[in-house]
C-alpha cells in the first residue's frame, strides 16, 4: 500500500527528469534494504514498470535508471549516512515509516531538497497512524511546528493522504482483512 505508492512516485519522478537524484530510507539501513530493495521495488517494477531495467549498485546502494537518474538507499540512524545526504542535493527525499524518525532529522534533511531540475523538490513520508503527540500529527494535521507549537509558515506545503485496508482490499489477502475485522 503506502510504501508501494512511495516507491512508485520515486520512479515516476526519476523517469521524468534525467540525471536527477533521489533518496529513500528508513531509520535503519538494513530495514531499508529488506523493505525497499527486496520487497517493494520488485513489486512496483513488476506491476507498474515491467519493462524498466534498473541497475542496483550494492557497493554504494543506489538504483540507476536508463535516463541516468539515481535513487539512493539510506538508513537515517548513522552519522556517516546523514553526512552523505547532506553532501548532495536531492529532488526527492523519502522517509519510510516516518513515525520512527525525529523532527530534528526531518528539518536537517529538508535542507538538502534543493536540486536544480525540472521537478518540484519534495519530501515524501509514509507511516502508520501516529499518536496525536507525535510530531507528524502536529505537522500534517494541526499544521503546527512541533517544537514551538506555532502555526507553520509553510503549512500549505504539508499534505497527507489516508489509506485504509478496505480501500486496498484487492491487494490484500482475505485472511488479513478478516483478522483486522476481528480486532477491537
Amino acid at each position: 500500500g503506502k510504501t508501494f505508492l512511495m516507491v512508485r512516485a520515486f520512479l515516476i519522478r526519476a523517469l521524468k527528469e534525467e540525471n536527477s537524484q533521489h533518496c529513500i530510507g528508513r531509520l535503519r539501513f538494513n530495514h531499508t534494504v529488506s523493505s525497499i530493495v527486496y520487497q517493494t521495488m520488485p513489486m512496483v517494477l513488476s506491476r507498474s514498470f515491467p519493462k524498466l531495467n534498473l541497475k542496483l549498485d550494492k557497493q554504494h546502494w543506489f538504483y540507476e535508471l536508463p535516463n541516468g537518474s539515481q535513487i539512493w538507499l539510506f538508513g537515517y540512524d548513522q552519522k556517516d549516512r546523514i553526512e552523505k545526504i547532506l553532501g548532495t542535493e536531492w529532488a526527492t527525499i523519502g522517509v519510510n515509516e516516518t513515525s520512527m524518525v525525529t523532527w530534528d532529522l526531518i528539518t536537517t534533511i529538508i535542507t538538502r531538497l534543493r536540486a536544480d531540475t525540472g521537478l518540484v523538490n519534495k519530501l515524501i513520508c509514509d507511516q502508520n497512524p501516529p499518536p496525536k503527540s507525535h510530531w507528524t500529527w502536529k505537522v500534517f494535521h494541526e499544521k503546527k511546528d512541533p517544537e514551538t507549537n506555532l502555526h507553520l509558515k509553510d503549512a500549505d506545503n504539508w499534505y497527507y493522504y489516508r489509506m485504509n485496508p478496505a480501500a486496498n482490499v484487492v491487494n490484500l489477502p482475505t485472511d488479513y482483512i478478516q483478522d483486522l475485522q476481528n480486532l477491537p
Side-chain angles (χ1 to χ4, degrees):
K2 62 190 187 319
T3 306
F4 182 98
L5 290 176
M6 177 191 280
V7 170
R8 187 173 186 279
F10 267 71
L11 286 167
I12 290 169
R13 289 174 58 78
L15 288 166
K16 278 186 178 181
E17 192 66 34
E18 64 183 33
N19 300 312
S20 57
Q21 301 285 312
H22 313 267
C23 77
I24 188 169
R26 290 180 69 151
L27 177 62
R28 307 233 186 285
F29 179 70
N30 62 331
H31 295 166
T32 301
V33 172
S34 65
S35 175
I36 305 297
V37 176
Y38 293 117
Q39 293 178 10
T40 309
M41 186 63 81
M43 189 183 316
V44 171
L45 289 172
S46 71
R47 293 184 183 184
S48 298
F49 304 95
K51 295 181 181 178
L52 182 61
N53 186 21
L54 297 183
K55 294 177 188 168
L56 176 60
D57 180 324
K58 287 187 177 180
Q59 180 180 355
H60 298 101
W61 288 102
F62 68 88
Y63 288 101
E64 183 150 9
L65 283 73
N67 68 354
S69 292
Q70 297 175 337
I71 299 174
W72 287 75
L73 303 155
F74 285 101
Y76 297 121
D77 59 333
Q78 293 182 350
K79 186 177 179 181
D80 61 330
R81 291 190 181 122
I82 297 299
E83 287 175 7
K84 284 183 184 178
I85 292 171
L86 293 177
T88 306
E89 297 174 352
W90 306 98
T92 317
I93 297 176
V95 183
N96 180 233
E97 300 299 346
T98 307
S99 57
M100 298 176 72
V101 303
T102 65
W103 175 244
D104 187 51
L105 173 67
I106 296 297
T107 60
T108 299
I109 64 176
I110 284 174
T111 66
R112 304 325 298 168
L113 280 171
R114 57 183 211 176
D116 186 15
T117 68
L119 299 169
V120 174
N121 297 326
K122 289 190 182 282
L123 171 68
I124 302 175
C125 303
D126 77 13
Q127 69 179 16
N128 292 311
K132 291 184 179 181
S133 59
H134 195 267
W135 71 262
T136 55
W137 183 269
K138 291 272 188 194
V139 170
F140 289 102
H141 295 271
E142 296 177 8
K143 306 292 186 180
K144 291 183 178 178
D145 182 305
E147 293 175 346
T148 65
N149 216 31
L150 297 174
H151 186 73
L152 291 169
K153 293 177 184 169
D154 63 346
D156 292 340
N157 293 332
W158 294 90
Y159 301 97
Y160 73 91
Y161 65 88
R162 177 178 288 167
M163 295 177 60
N164 63 51
N168 192 27
V169 72
V170 297
N171 295 309
L172 299 171
T174 305
D175 58 340
Y176 176 73
I177 298 297
Q178 290 170 347
D179 289 344
L180 290 179
Q181 291 170 342
N182 291 331
L183 291 173

